[in-house]
Amino acid sequence: MKILDAYSDVIWEQRRYEIAKSAMQGMIANSHELDYRMAEHYPNHGYRKRYPSEVAMLAVAHADALIAELKKKGE
């Protein structure tokens, strides 16, 4: 039995939402690390304006990466 068979009834869009939500919660909970990373990319505190959307994009990117890895394992 392939691993993907175990995931055959998974609704990936729902999983993507759940994973992104968890990733976002983790990033916000560790705000000092997140501030450091954001400040690296946006010097002079320019990241403050982009903070919510950047965190959301990072969370979705993490979710997509995890789902891709799970699907790859099922091949």
Side-chain angles (χ1 to χ4, degrees), residues 3-61:
I3 294 174
L4 194 56
D5 292 338
Y7 293 127
S8 63
D9 60 344
V10 170
I11 301 169
W12 287 108
E13 204 52 40
Q14 179 64 31
R15 292 289 169 243
R16 184 180 191 230
Y17 166 79
E18 292 167 0
I19 296 165
K21 182 177 131 184
S22 294
M24 194 169 196
Q25 289 170 334
M27 285 185 269
I28 291 169
N30 191 0
S31 62
H32 294 295
E33 176 67 20
L34 187 59
D35 279 344
Y36 175 76
R37 299 279 179 212
M38 295 289 284
E40 282 183 327
H41 294 290
Y42 301 105
N44 303 323
H45 299 287
Y47 70 93
R48 295 276 182 210
K49 294 177 192 172
R50 297 179 177 97
Y51 196 86
S53 60
E54 287 289 326
V55 172
M57 287 189 300
L58 282 169
V60 171

